Each structure stands twice: as C-alpha cells, then as structure tokens.
Amino acid sequence: MNEQAISRPDDSRRSCPPTEALHSAEVFDGEPGCISQARALADRFLGRLVSEWMAVLGTHTRNDLMLAVSELVTNADRYSHGPYLLELEGTAERISVTVYDSSSALPVFYSPDPGRLGGHGMEIVVALCDRLTAERVPVGKRIRAEFMLSS
C-alpha cells in the first residue's frame, strides 16, 4: 500500500509547533564545573525550545527552571556515588527536568523552616515546579520536575 502525505499549498505547518518533544541529555561525572555545565546545557535546551518549538518562556519560568536544574544537579552531585544523568524534555506546553543518579536513597522533603541550615534544595524545587516525582529505578533513583508553560 502506498502512503501519501498531503500538505496545504500555503504550508501552514510552519506556524504550528511540532507535536513531538525536544530532548537533550548529558552525563556528568561530578568533577568541578559540572553544575555550571548542566546549567549551560539547560540554557541551550531552552533556546532551542523557544526557536524550534515556539515555546513561550517568561523570565520567571526560565529562572525557575534554571534554579531547579541547579538544585537537582547539586543534590545528585552531593549525594550520589557515581555519575549522574540530566535529561531535559520539552514541548511548547511543558518542560521536564529529570536527574538520574546512582543513589537509591530518595530525597528528604522537610517542612519549610527558615532557621534550618541547609536542606532547602528540594523545598525550593517543589515551590518552583508544577509537579515533582521521586522514585527508585534500577540504576538508583530518578527525580523529575515538570513545568507547565503558559500559552
């Protein structure tokens, strides 16, 4: 059977965002500079998402997402015993930031306490994102922060 793709002569697809997701991922070994490199990866990813997927990112969303990347990668760097993977996935409607690391210990979520020294990373990520999941996986754990974008 022959399959045919038919498009309108005005090529209206150019004005519609793609339906698939944009992906980017990189493994970090915990050497000095990894957190900065992870933020640079996220920044390039957001630039591509805006230009190729026509995502609308406000300054607040961009800053929230970059801070979440910093916090999640810092936790993986600090608490895992091996390399960690940062995976970014996005469409014009949503972005997910996922970090896989080798530690099976799930993060501790403390109640807000301005007097507590340290332990605020996950509290910050929870406040920034629309949904956060943490689960054990065969390689250790996966932490995923999801952000919904306004249209």
Side-chain angles (χ1 to χ4, degrees):
M1 177 195 269
N2 290 334
E3 292 184 26
Q4 235 179 354
I6 301 173
S7 63
R8 295 185 179 149
D10 65 350
D11 198 15
S12 63
R13 294 182 333 174
R14 289 183 189 215
S15 63
C16 298
T19 56
E20 67 276 0
L22 178 66
H23 295 271
S24 187
E26 191 168 328
V27 174
F28 298 96
D29 58 8
E31 292 296 316
C34 284
I35 296 165
S36 175
Q37 292 169 6
R39 287 177 54 84
L41 176 71
D43 190 52
R44 288 189 306 272
F45 174 81
L46 293 176
R48 285 188 61 205
L49 198 62
V50 168
S51 66
E52 297 174 24
W53 266 250
M54 295 172 259
V56 177
L57 295 179
T59 303
H60 183 67
T61 302
R62 177 180 283 279
N63 291 342
D64 287 354
L65 198 128
M66 294 299 287
L67 180 53
V69 166
S70 293
E71 292 296 336
L72 292 174
V73 170
T74 296
N75 282 353
D77 193 62
R78 182 173 292 158
Y79 299 113
S80 71
H81 306 288
Y84 49 92
L85 170 71
L86 170 62
E87 180 180 65
L88 303 158
E89 179 181 70
T91 66
E93 291 81 35
R94 64 157 189 85
I95 301 172
S96 67
V97 176
T98 306
V99 176
Y100 294 85
D101 70 46
S102 60
S103 171
S104 61
L106 294 176
V108 176
F109 295 91
Y110 298 104
S111 298
D113 178 2
R116 182 180 65 247
L117 295 176
H120 296 281
M122 294 310 293
E123 180 184 335
I124 291 168
V125 175
V126 166
L128 296 174
C129 70
D130 294 296
R131 181 170 185 243
L132 182 74
T133 56
E135 60 186 335
R136 288 184 181 91
V137 293
V139 297
K141 73 173 164 294
R142 172 177 58 205
I143 310 291
R144 176 176 288 140
E146 297 177 23
F147 297 81
M148 299 306 293
L149 303 177
S150 56
S151 27

